[in-house]
Amino acid sequence: MRKLLLRNVGDGLNLIINNKDHHDLTIDFGGDENIHCYGYFDDSFLLSHFHADHYNGILNCNHHRHWDLQNFYYPAMPAFTESKRFFMSLLTMNIRISNNHPIQNTIFDYVKRLNRRPLNFRAVSKGDIVVCGERKYEILWPPQELVEEDALIDIRNAIRDFEEARESDRQLSRIYQNISRRYAEVENINNAEIESPNDTDRLTEFDGELSEIVQKANKSLRKAANRLSIAFRQDDNILFLGDLESREINSVVVDLVNNHNIVYDILIAAHHGTHWHRSLNSINANICLASIGQTLKGNVKYEYKGISNKLVRTDEWGDIIITKRDRVR
Ligand SMILES: [Zn+2]
Ligand SMILES: [Zn+2]
């Protein structure tokens, strides 16, 4: 019997955790290999964060009414002073660089079309419990409110880089105007109506080249978005660290240690196995998994070997199947 499947998608992630009966929890669906819309997702989907290597598979699917999902979870934007501006900056940059995909809205739209039935979209953050096939998944990150000074500094820098880019890039500035209009009345961006992206579509025409200043802003925004990706645990079975940066790994691990939740059957290493914080030395896992492709494979943190009995990577192993008895196939 299968406990989970980590598919070899190259640079990206697609993890399917099998719970009772057909109640699966699928985490992310993106990568640069093997992401054709082969199959069928059941019960619940959790998108760890809005980065293309975690969702582009969804946008590649054009089968209608193919999936049978009941729930779609995604990371809530934590509360902090500039959260709305940060959200709008991210959304604007997403649209600018991804050839007319206003990411958030487009993903939700696609999922709605791909699914056989209406489904629930729910933004989750630390403390929330997601139940799937009688298993409880405790969300460990992002926090409801962001107070970590380092993260806030990073986010402010990203917003500043974005503002600079907006001044020099006409398309960016036009998209931002449109986005600001659309979200002007919205108080809580986590409850924002999911609209059709058509009006935004018309605005953008990606020319395939980005100035250095736009690339810089994109990079800072990306890093800041990693900081807000979902991490969760499922009892002492699975610990999933998303694409967290090292500071956030530390925050998550400190909580785990305080609650004595330090031993796991399976650990999914942070950011494709390339992000690490020394606090992880207090965590112990039987099997550590890394979903990694050609771009990042040189950056794997071998420290993960020190906290697990076995480190298994998709670039070496291919699709990784873990059986109920924790055997790797
Ligand atoms: Zn990633
Ligand atoms: Zn990421």
Side-chain angles (χ1 to χ4, degrees):
M1 283 284 277
R2 194 172 88 180
K3 183 149 122 183
L4 68 78
L5 163 65
L6 182 64
R7 292 185 67 247
N8 177 23
V9 291
D11 287 302
L13 189 113
N14 179 214
L15 171 68
I16 297 148
I17 302 175
N18 303 110
N19 299 304
K20 266 197 150 186
D21 302 325
H22 285 288
H23 298 283
D24 295 341
L25 176 64
T26 301
I27 293 120
D28 297 345
F29 183 41
D32 61 355
E33 289 171 41
N34 312 320
I35 49 156
H36 16 260
C37 198
Y38 59 100
Y40 182 74
F41 296 146
D42 238 338
D43 201 305
S44 297
F45 191 105
L46 182 148
L47 180 65
S48 66
H49 61 305
F50 292 94
H51 276 168
D53 59 323
H54 297 257
Y55 65 68
N56 62 353
I58 296 174
L59 306 182
N60 286 345
C61 291
N62 40 31
H63 303 277
H64 282 233
R65 315 248 171 266
H66 193 59
W67 293 348
D68 201 16
L69 293 173
Q70 198 178 346
N71 303 296
F72 188 97
Y73 304 103
Y74 59 98
M77 177 65 72
F80 56 98
T81 321
E82 304 89 342
S83 62
K84 191 167 160 185
R85 246 175 90 200
F86 179 59
F87 171 81
M88 294 194 302
S89 312
L90 275 178
L91 193 55
T92 303
M93 185 59 85
N94 274 335
I95 297 169
R96 175 70 178 88
I97 62 160
S98 55
N99 232 350
N100 294 347
H101 294 147
I103 297 315
Q104 271 87 336
N105 297 2
T106 309
I107 292 172
F108 296 152
D109 263 11
Y110 266 69
V111 172
K112 278 189 206 163
R113 260 189 287 158
L114 281 161
N115 213 50
R116 285 166 201 254
R117 48 178 168 152
L119 72 175
N120 309 313
F121 290 89
R122 186 178 151 207
V124 294
S125 52
K126 185 176 167 179
D128 287 335
I129 302 282
V130 164
V131 180
C132 182
E134 295 176 22
R135 298 257 164 74
K136 280 186 185 164
Y137 293 83
E138 183 192 346
I139 306 297
L140 306 171
W141 203 261
Q144 284 179 17
E145 191 183 353
L146 194 65
V147 288
E148 284 76 7
E149 207 42 52
D150 293 308
L152 288 170
I153 289 171
D154 237 32
I155 285 170
R156 283 180 197 129
N157 287 340
I159 294 175
R160 199 201 50 221
D161 289 346
F162 173 79
E163 293 301 327
E164 269 174 38
R166 190 155 71 89
E167 274 166 32
S168 73
D169 187 279
R170 243 190 29 218
Q171 286 191 46
L172 211 55
S173 148
R174 272 158 59 200
I175 300 166
Y176 190 78
Q177 269 174 25
N178 186 275
I179 294 287
S180 325
R181 260 200 306 276
R182 188 193 292 176
Y183 288 95
E185 304 292 309
V186 175
E187 262 178 45
N188 182 352
I189 40 185
N190 289 320
N191 301 331
E193 258 303 293
I194 300 161
E195 293 174 41
S196 147
N198 289 341
D199 51 338
T200 331
D201 264 345
R202 264 187 287 116
L203 270 177
T204 56
E205 217 171 84
F206 187 56
D207 55 13
E209 259 178 54
L210 297 168
S211 68
E212 246 170 61
I213 198 163
V214 175
Q215 286 181 40
K216 184 184 168 203
N218 183 35
K219 213 175 151 193
S220 334
L221 286 168
R222 279 186 67 87
K223 201 172 163 209
N226 276 340
R227 287 178 175 282
L228 302 178
S229 81
I230 290 180
F232 67 79
R233 76 180 184 101
Q234 191 259 304
D235 287 328
D236 55 1
N237 246 321
I238 300 168
L239 175 61
F240 174 86
L241 292 176
D243 268 7
L244 292 185
E245 301 279 333
S246 114
R247 302 267 179 188
E248 286 67 37
I249 296 174
N250 183 41
S251 305
V252 167
V253 173
V254 165
D255 282 347
L256 292 175
V257 170
N258 287 339
N259 296 317
H260 310 288
N261 295 320
I262 53 172
V263 180
Y264 295 89
D265 293 339
I266 297 157
L267 164 68
I268 321 293
H271 196 265
H272 315 274
T274 68
H275 288 179
W276 169 266
H277 186 276
R278 62 180 184 282
S279 61
L280 277 168
N281 284 317
S282 35
I283 298 290
N284 209 285
N286 183 20
I287 305 167
C288 177
L289 303 179
S291 176
I292 193 157
Q294 296 307 307
T295 313
L296 289 170
K297 71 177 191 184
N299 306 337
V300 169
K301 298 285 186 203
Y302 286 99
E303 287 91 334
Y304 280 109
K305 276 190 174 171
I307 62 164
S308 60
N309 296 326
K310 218 181 284 175
L311 170 63
V312 195
R313 330 165 23 158
T314 51
D315 63 327
E316 294 173 353
W317 192 275
D319 288 350
I320 301 170
I321 292 171
I322 309 287
T323 67
K324 290 255 148 82
R325 293 186 174 172
D326 282 344
R327 279 215 293 269
V328 185
R329 282 210 312 246

